[in-house]
Amino acid sequence: MNVTHKEAFSLLQNTDNILILTHRNPDGDAVGSMFGLFYALKEMGKNVRCIIDTVSDALSFPVTEEAFIEFEPDTVVTVDVADKKLLTEDTLEKYGDRVFLAIDHHEANKPFSEHLLLDYKASAACEVLFDMLTAAGRDISRECATALYLGISTDTGCFRYPNTSAHTLYAASVLVEKGVDNGEINRIVFETKSRAYVQFEALAMSSLRTYFDGKCAVIVLTQDMFRRTGVSEADTHGIAALPRQIEGVLAGIVVKEKKDGTYKISVRTNEPISAAEICEVFGGGGHRLAAGCDMAGRPQQVVNDILKVVGEALENI
Ligand SMILES: [Mn+2]
């Protein structure tokens, strides 16, 4: 059942022993919304724990060890999870059917919880949390604000994407007022690359091919590229943005070979192409301009299959 920001807050207020989960391959919004909520609940005197996958160095958020001590929760909450299939394998198995409250901002959200706080106009799950805490009249601490800022900043590409609304900027402004070191966060997240990463990026760019008169660009990442550079997969979220940066590209695709030999596809589009619609064909989903799906098969077949759908989308504009 859908709940308002205020209702979601009182649901949390009336529970304890809360476990927070987020999606696998955590991005900045997953990390930020998890720890933003962690701090907010802790400050309310709640017993709170988190379970999260490996996080890339740039997004590693200083949080007390206590957050990860195992316990038997009474209440399970998810943040930034559009579909329970996106939980990690372990948490899906253990908690997938007993999520009390899901807090999300994905238009393609597939409800799976008892209660759902969904605001797909929000740029980030962190913006939804900001609104929830504000609606409840809670003061936001510096720790909580820093986590929420991280999520908003990353999901808006540092306030550059069209999902950055006036309200997003207002939320960021309030968070900065609470003491967030925004310059430092953005320097680490957006302006810093390891040397290994730069090598990886060069390999990625050398795989780039364009199709449909340059309207579609595809990068293929192989396990070999990870091995050769020593870059971890968690550190390569940024690659997804590269193909769409080329002038004239309406659909930028990154095909990443996973360890098990299947592929994770990231699609970034410009209007009027919908990334979510392309990914839905393959059982995935996401936002209008940024979405993903999983595929299996031989690499060239995977690329051809996705190109066919992109081609149809381009023909319809
Ligand atoms: Mn998000």
Side-chain angles (χ1 to χ4, degrees), residues 27 29 80 105-106 123-125 155 287:
D27 55 11
D29 192 28
D80 202 37
H105 72 116
H106 293 86
S123 65
D155 260 17
H287 302 286

Side-chain angles (χ1 to χ4, degrees), residues 196-208 225 229 239 242:
Y197 182 82
V198 172
Q199 283 174 340
F200 183 87
E201 211 173 51
L203 289 175
M205 287 313 275
S206 68
S207 81
L208 185 119
M225 292 179 185
T229 57
I239 302 290
L242 297 181

Side-chain angles (χ1 to χ4, degrees), residues 208-218 300 303-304 307 314:
L208 185 119
R209 301 279 178 276
T210 58
Y211 303 88
F212 307 115
D213 277 337
K215 292 193 187 69
C216 176
V218 181
Q300 196 51 54
V303 172
N304 288 345
L307 284 176
L314 288 169

Side-chain angles (χ1 to χ4, degrees), residues 25-55:
N25 303 316
D27 55 11
D29 192 28
V31 173
S33 54
M34 170 172 276
F35 297 131
L37 183 59
F38 172 81
Y39 281 115
L41 292 171
K42 257 194 83 68
E43 287 153 19
M44 288 160 64
K46 304 288 180 188
N47 192 16
V48 200
R49 299 284 190 270
C50 303
I51 300 179
I52 191 162
D53 246 358
T54 315
V55 172

